[in-house]
Amino acid sequence: MTQNKTLKQIAIVGGGLAGVSTAYFLARAGFEVAVLERRANVAEEATYGNSGLLSPCAAQPLVLPGILKTGWSNLFRNEPPILVKSGLSPSRWRWVRKSRRDYQDYFSLNKQRLTRLAAYGQMLTQHLQEHYVLEQENSQGLLHLFRQQADADRSAAIQDGLQQFELPRQQVQGEEIQRIEPAFQSTLPLAGAMYYPNDTAGNCVLFVKQLRAIAQSLGVQFHFSQTVKAIRPEIGGRIAIDIDEQTLSVDSVVLAAGMQNLPLLKPLGMTLPLCALQSYNAMAAVKNPDEAPNTVLFDESYKIAIARVGNRIRVSGLLGFLPRTNQPHAKAINSLLKVANEYYPNAANFNTANFWSNTFALQPNGMPLVGATTHGNIFINTGHGAHGWAAAVGSAKLLADAIAGRDSEINSDGLLWSGASA
């Protein structure tokens, strides 16, 4: 298919992983691209809290069917797997109910879709790293650990549906875990474990900053400390973007700003099925290299990933159904410390780690929200979650191909949104 000649100048709102990746692929497709970011640099908000997983096998829709039951039953625990405040607004109640229905009806199907997208995004990311000789801090292989039998059973039940992707994985236990990861000396009883040798983790923020430089070499313009106040369709089909005291006119706009997309679309009569969640992170310097992880670990119950990033260890994930904060709740810190010390107690002094939290946008079905809105030249790319590096890169390429009028390289069924439900 030929490039869409009616869209030449494209503005992207948001300079995180999704925005910068989309800018790169659009520039490669021949468009003039400008990125508008309210912070002073790229990757300073949701992307800064990305776990760094490049993990097609472990990728799954981040749906929370039992969030209220789990959260309230752990309300008085000091180390809860999910943080929930005692009361929820009506909008959040509706979101939770929708999440429960989507989990019951579509989880297996969406798991397959997300695996397909993440495998594509991982391939694209690795190609970019190799082609441009990017600096990497990658860890190879991932151990997916299950504390609860129900989680292990659910994982086993969906393995058959993933055979089509030909992604290597194996069920492991006991001595097999320690053979794969000699630093793993935990005596914590586990209901099961899976090993994915081709899944990886790395430094997502470093990747985005390097990709920004590459995008700039392709002509992408980055405008920092620019807060977008409104977007307005103009006569003739262009889009006006109000930025502080000035207005920019472009052929099209891609919204990649998480929850900030909602107030921009509301005046146009569009709503998005997004809810703001918190994720939490810790970064600690390696104390004993021989006891520090070389393989990535993902704890299913706590949704926490532990990965070595150079001479540091990153512990990240854990969900908070709480209002936005910059510093983690005390219970979030306790949970991060609990998981880190249970698996790698002598690897680092986790008590002196640097802790932070960030907010990300999530759909009830846990899938990314990518595609065209009801306004033909307003597009969206958001909702990839705290573990969505691979999915975000894959989504960016799918969206760029769709805007350019090109056939996608993978089956995009279920991955591109039409905006019909907005």
Side-chain angles (χ1 to χ4, degrees):
M1 299 177 69
T2 59
Q3 178 174 310
N4 188 335
K5 298 295 185 180
T6 64
L7 301 179
K8 297 180 181 179
Q9 297 176 326
I10 301 179
I12 297 174
V13 181
L17 171 62
V20 175
S21 299
T22 303
Y24 167 80
F25 289 119
L26 285 172
R28 288 292 302 236
F31 294 98
E32 297 178 35
V33 183
V35 176
L36 309 173
E37 168 55 48
R38 64 179 181 174
R39 300 288 186 175
N41 202 347
V42 298
E44 291 201 344
E45 295 199 34
T47 299
Y48 194 74
N50 188 283
S51 67
L53 293 187
L54 283 162
S55 178
C57 289
Q60 58 183 310
L62 193 54
V63 290
L64 307 171
I67 182 173
L68 297 185
K69 180 179 178 181
T70 301
W72 287 343
S73 65
N74 290 280
L75 198 59
F76 299 104
R77 284 183 58 185
N78 288 326
E79 303 156 340
I82 297 175
L83 279 72
V84 182
K85 70 175 185 177
S86 57
L88 294 179
S89 66
S91 63
R92 290 203 169 195
W93 269 107
R94 290 191 295 271
W95 189 93
V96 168
R97 288 196 296 268
K98 182 65 165 60
S99 180
R100 183 166 58 244
R101 289 195 299 269
D102 284 341
Y103 172 81
Q104 293 169 344
D105 297 339
Y106 302 111
F107 179 84
S108 294
L109 176 61
N110 284 336
K111 162 63 178 174
Q112 293 187 37
R113 289 170 171 170
L114 195 58
T115 297
R116 184 194 335 139
L117 178 63
Y120 182 50
Q122 182 193 42
M123 180 196 71
L124 292 169
T125 300
Q126 292 175 339
H127 172 75
L128 289 169
Q129 290 175 331
E130 294 169 3
H131 180 75
Y132 292 106
V133 195
L134 302 184
E135 182 181 351
Q136 301 180 36
E137 294 179 326
N138 289 358
S139 300
Q140 185 69 38
L142 184 144
L143 283 165
H144 193 174
L145 305 184
F146 306 100
R147 295 170 182 257
Q148 306 297 326
Q149 189 62 50
D151 291 331
D153 293 343
R154 183 185 65 178
S155 175
I158 63 178
Q159 292 304 315
D160 289 343
L162 301 180
Q163 295 295 333
Q164 59 183 299
F165 301 110
E166 299 181 351
L167 297 171
R169 56 194 175 278
Q170 64 183 94
Q171 191 170 2
V172 294
Q173 58 184 346
E175 294 180 355
E176 293 176 292
I177 296 177
Q178 293 181 348
R179 176 181 54 79
I180 293 167
E181 175 54 276
F184 184 88
Q185 301 294 329
S186 174
T187 58
L188 184 73
L190 296 173
M194 295 292 296
Y195 177 56
Y196 314 125
N198 288 356
D199 283 12
T200 62
N203 189 332
C204 183
V205 173
L206 176 62
F207 171 78
V208 175
K209 289 183 176 180
Q210 293 178 104
L211 191 60
R212 169 205 168 182
I214 297 168
Q216 285 178 310
S217 72
L218 296 174
V220 177
Q221 298 181 25
F222 285 82
H223 303 276
F224 296 107
S225 302
Q226 301 292 318
T227 300
V228 175
K229 304 293 186 180
I231 57 174
R232 296 177 286 106
E234 294 183 310
I235 297 175
R238 288 172 68 83
I239 301 292
I241 304 177
D242 295 332
I243 311 169
D244 296 324
E245 301 301 323
Q246 58 181 323
T247 298
L248 175 68
S249 181
V250 296
D251 294 306
S252 183
V253 62
V254 176
L255 300 178
M259 295 301 294
Q260 299 305 311
N261 296 326
L262 274 68
L264 296 178
L265 290 175
K266 186 176 180 179
L268 305 180
M270 289 186 285
T271 59
L272 299 177
L274 297 173
C275 182
L277 272 74
Q278 293 268 299
S279 68
Y280 306 97
N281 306 267
M283 187 76 84
V286 172
K287 181 176 66 175
N288 297 313
D290 291 342
E291 301 192 52
N294 289 299
T295 299
V296 189
L297 182 149
F298 185 74
D299 184 294
E300 176 64 28
S301 294
Y302 284 82
K303 300 295 188 293
I304 284 178
I306 302 176
R308 189 167 180 169
V309 184
N311 61 355
R312 298 161 295 164
I313 298 174
R314 180 164 184 155
V315 187
S316 56
L318 185 70
L319 305 176
F321 212 78
L322 302 172
R324 176 188 175 95
T325 59
N326 292 324
Q327 291 298 318
H329 191 284
K331 289 187 176 182
I333 293 177
N334 291 342
S335 294
L336 292 173
L337 292 175
K338 168 186 169 66
V339 175
N341 284 311
E342 282 178 336
Y343 292 130
Y344 299 105
N346 301 313
N349 186 354
F350 293 108
N351 291 317
T352 61
N354 178 33
F355 297 94
W356 71 97
S357 67
N358 69 288
T359 303
F360 64 94
L362 190 68
Q363 283 201 92
N365 65 5
M367 294 292 289
L369 187 58
V370 184
T373 68
T374 51
H375 287 263
N377 52 348
I378 300 177
F379 301 87
I380 189 105
N381 188 6
T382 195
H384 302 93
H387 307 298
W389 179 354
V393 175
S395 296
K397 183 62 163 65
L398 287 179
L399 182 59
D401 286 342
I403 293 173
R406 296 177 175 175
D407 291 330
S408 59
E409 295 174 329
I410 64 169
N411 177 10
S412 62
D413 178 50
L415 301 178
L416 288 176
W417 184 64
S418 67
S421 59

